[in-house]
Structure formats: structure tokens, C-alpha cells
Amino acid sequence: MKRIGLLLVVMLLTGVRAMAIEEAPYTVVKASGIFEVRDYDPHILAETLIDGTLEDAGNKAFRRLFNYISGANHSRSSIAMTAPVSQESKGEKIAMTAPVGQQRSSGTWAVSFMMPASYTLATLPVPDDNSITVRQVPARRMAAVRYSGTWSEKNYLDYKERLENWIRENGFQISGEAVWARYNPPFSLWFLRRNEILIPVVSQPVS
């Protein structure tokens, strides 16, 4: 397993509290063991595109995104953080949320941080780095599988296939690309990690 060195250093400096305070809200529509169908509320993502392997993309993207939420932005207003971050920078600090998302996008990986619900597109500070975009994600229905273990491509592909089979067997249709979601810092014990794969779905029409 390739460790995400930058993320490890940041989490040791700032504390685990900064990793996961606020999570994307959802309502469970259907549940069966490790599988669920969830209705997610609209939310905002800060996102950057990265070339590379599934396992390397998160490490490459993390510096950009973490710098943005730590102050590498054009601050529009003074909004207190919901979690302290020790790194000093010139702009506004934004609380870190969970999960960190990763999704295939035209041969690259789109890696994203969810923004706290207290922000809107109008109130979020503009990133200094123009490779970071901020976008609104509409409400959507997602099938999810939850698993622990290493952040490996083998695990990702295995659980993605299981989820796709479960979706078809339970009367849903895949309507978009899979998202790989991680909720823990890399120094967490592998068997305690919370990992998820989420796939947009719609209900199949009744014939």
C-alpha cells in the first residue's frame, strides 16, 4: 500500500479533529448489509483534476485542496472555522469535512473536498489556484457500499463490482460514474478505516 505522506504530515500537525467534523447529509432509502441506497442533499465541492493512478491521485491533489481550505484563497468574508487548522495563510480558513471524494473524469481523477453547509457558492472564497473549481452538486440518489481496509485499487475494483451487481439485482439502474469516498487519515489502522464507493442510480421503470 502506498501511504499518502502529505496527508499524514498534515493530520499529525493539525489533529484528527480537522479530518471529519461535518459529513454530507443523506437519508437511507434501502439498506441490506454493507449496501445502501441514499438520497443526498445538495452540497458544494471544491474539486481539482489529477492525472495518475487511483492510489496516487489523492496524494497529488491533497496539497492543492488543503492549501485552499487553509487560506490560499481570496477571502470574501470573515467566517469562523468549525475546526482549527494550525497552518497559517493569508486568506480565510474553511473547516475540513468528510468524505474526501475521488472520481474518474475523462481519463483523469477528480478529487474533491465537500464544503461546509454554512457556505453558498456566493460566500465561498475564490481559490488562489485556478486548477481548483467550486461547484454545486444537486440532490441525487446514490447506491453505496461500505468497507474497511487498505486504500488499494484491488479493494476499490472488488467492492465496486459487488456494488454494481447489487444495484442490478435490486431494481436500480446506474446513472453516473462511481465515487471513491474516504473518511479517515492514512495513519488509521487499516481495519478501522471507513471507505465507501458511491454510484448514482435511478429506479428502473416497472415493465
Side-chain angles (χ1 to χ4, degrees):
M1 179 189 68
K2 296 181 180 179
R3 297 181 67 84
I4 302 180
L6 174 63
L7 181 57
L8 173 60
V9 171
V10 170
M11 288 303 128
L12 286 173
L13 289 175
T14 62
V16 179
R17 288 184 303 164
M19 184 63 187
I21 290 193
E22 182 180 336
E23 295 188 11
Y26 61 82
T27 301
V28 176
V29 175
K30 181 180 179 68
S32 176
I34 61 173
F35 303 100
E36 288 182 342
V37 173
R38 305 167 178 171
D39 283 343
Y40 279 86
D41 294 339
H43 56 278
I44 297 172
L45 298 180
E47 182 177 82
T48 189
L49 297 179
I50 295 290
D51 292 320
T53 66
L54 176 140
E55 295 176 16
D56 290 339
N59 185 35
K60 293 178 180 178
F62 190 86
R63 179 187 296 274
R64 294 181 193 175
L65 295 169
F66 189 80
N67 283 347
Y68 166 59
I69 68 168
S70 297
N73 55 65
H74 307 299
S75 183
R76 292 181 174 181
S77 59
S78 178
I79 301 174
M81 285 191 64
T82 57
V85 175
S86 62
Q87 179 177 339
E88 293 299 322
S89 191
K90 66 179 181 180
E92 181 178 334
K93 294 181 181 179
I94 303 167
M96 198 164 185
T97 59
V100 175
Q102 187 170 324
Q103 183 175 24
R104 179 72 75 180
S105 177
S106 302
T108 61
W109 291 99
V111 183
S112 61
F113 286 0
M114 186 192 77
M115 297 292 96
S118 58
Y119 287 94
T120 67
L121 286 176
T123 60
L124 269 172
V126 176
D128 288 343
D129 187 339
N130 60 15
S131 70
I132 296 173
T133 59
V134 178
R135 65 183 179 92
Q136 178 84 46
V137 178
R140 54 184 178 171
R141 177 162 289 185
M142 306 284 280
V145 59
R146 181 171 179 169
Y147 66 99
S148 61
T150 60
W151 292 340
S152 68
E153 185 170 13
K154 180 179 182 299
N155 274 350
Y156 169 80
L157 293 175
D158 178 27
Y159 281 95
K160 180 173 177 285
E161 182 179 9
R162 294 192 202 184
L163 179 58
E164 289 169 343
N165 291 336
W166 185 86
I167 289 169
R168 287 188 288 266
E169 292 167 1
N170 285 269
F172 295 93
Q173 182 177 340
I174 294 172
S175 60
E177 293 292 327
V179 177
W180 185 28
R182 288 163 287 173
Y183 292 79
N184 306 99
F187 51 83
S188 300
L189 296 174
W190 62 270
F191 55 87
L192 295 177
R193 288 180 181 173
R194 176 185 172 189
N195 310 311
E196 292 181 343
I197 297 170
L198 303 105
I199 297 178
V201 295
V202 294
S203 298
Q204 290 183 344
V206 178
S207 56

